[in-house]
Amino acid sequence: DAKTTQPTSMDCAEGRAANLPCNHSTISGNEYVYWYRQIHSQGPQYIIHGLKNNETNEMASLIITEDRKSSTLILPHATLRDTAVYYCIVLYGNKLVFGAGTILRVKS
Amino acid sequence: NAGVTQTPKFRVLKTGQSMTLLCAQDMNHEYMYWYRQDPGMGLRLIHYSVGEGTTAKGEVPDGYNVSRLKKQNFLLGLESAAPSQTSVYFCASSLTSGGGSSYNEQFFGPGTRLTVL
């Protein structure tokens, strides 16, 4: 399984964009990048996923570099409720392999 | 729809006791998963099921057994609990496997906090 590397923690001002980076340099051509988040010990929540192209949904945008070795999750207007642990996961087959994730603290 | 529910929410066991955690989903999902999460760590896959009557081992299966007798239920059993199994257990389900171009959004339950003394 491809491994991912994320910063341990990040801070973001409320109302600003939060940009969460992820390195996945060993990713294979048919492996998808998924992002989940976990708010205060609740079950993780799906955010977005992508293969090659940039993706956007109502929650976030996902920017994947052309070589696919890294990606960035963008929360366009972070709110206090976005404070959570964000997991970047490379999926192959049916298994999600969670790392430690990035603790995002949104501050007023 | 209730989504994914887990029973019980909390449990304290003594070493050597047994128990079963129940996961139920009402979304008609084929795939179901059991994870554990230890403090400060991400989730680790214990066992999973790709359909009724099937089970498979995940990353950390030792000390656990599972059964999927009905499509909507996935049971996780601890035959002889050990302090190392103190953890938060999450169940999840998904419609598809996520392989190829499939979409694999896993829906998670609220978790069961288990303490083994």
Side-chain angles (χ1 to χ4, degrees), chain A residues 16-67:
Chain A
R16 295 295 190 106
N19 297 285
L20 290 88
C22 178
N23 287 323
H24 31 79
S25 57
T26 59
I27 194 170
S28 298
N30 54 358
E31 291 180 321
Y32 282 73
V33 179
Y34 277 70
W35 284 82
Y36 280 73
R37 73 180 183 183
Q38 187 174 25
I39 297 173
H40 190 54
S41 299
Q42 296 177 17
Q45 174 191 23
Y46 165 86
I47 301 173
I48 199 167
H49 76 286
L51 182 63
K52 296 180 181 179
N53 300 321
N54 298 338
E55 302 288 346
T56 296
N57 63 20
E58 65 278 4
M59 288 183 67
S61 295
L62 175 61
I63 308 298
I64 302 175
T65 58
E66 191 170 344
D67 63 6

Side-chain angles (χ1 to χ4, degrees), chain B residues 65-109:
Chain B
N65 56 75
V66 288
S67 63
R68 183 104 180 265
L69 299 179
K70 294 182 179 180
K71 185 176 184 178
Q72 63 268 35
N73 295 336
F74 195 28
L75 278 63
L76 177 70
L78 286 74
E79 291 186 348
S80 179
S84 61
Q85 295 177 304
T86 293
S87 191
V88 180
Y89 291 85
F90 289 101
C91 176
S93 70
S94 65
L95 184 62
T96 64
S97 69
S101 60
S102 299
Y103 165 58
N104 182 2
E105 176 181 353
Q106 292 191 14
F107 293 82
F108 284 81

Side-chain angles (χ1 to χ4, degrees), chain A residues 88-107:
Chain A
C88 170
I89 300 164
V90 174
L91 177 74
Y92 183 76
N94 55 17
K95 299 187 187 68
L96 294 175
V97 180
F98 288 80
T102 296
I103 300 170
L104 175 68
R105 301 185 190 91
V106 181
K107 300 183 176 181

Side-chain angles (χ1 to χ4, degrees), chain A residues 12-18 75-82 104 106:
Chain A
C12 178
E14 188 178 21
R16 295 295 190 106
L75 307 179
H77 305 287
T79 71
L80 297 178
R81 288 178 294 181
D82 291 321
L104 175 68
V106 181

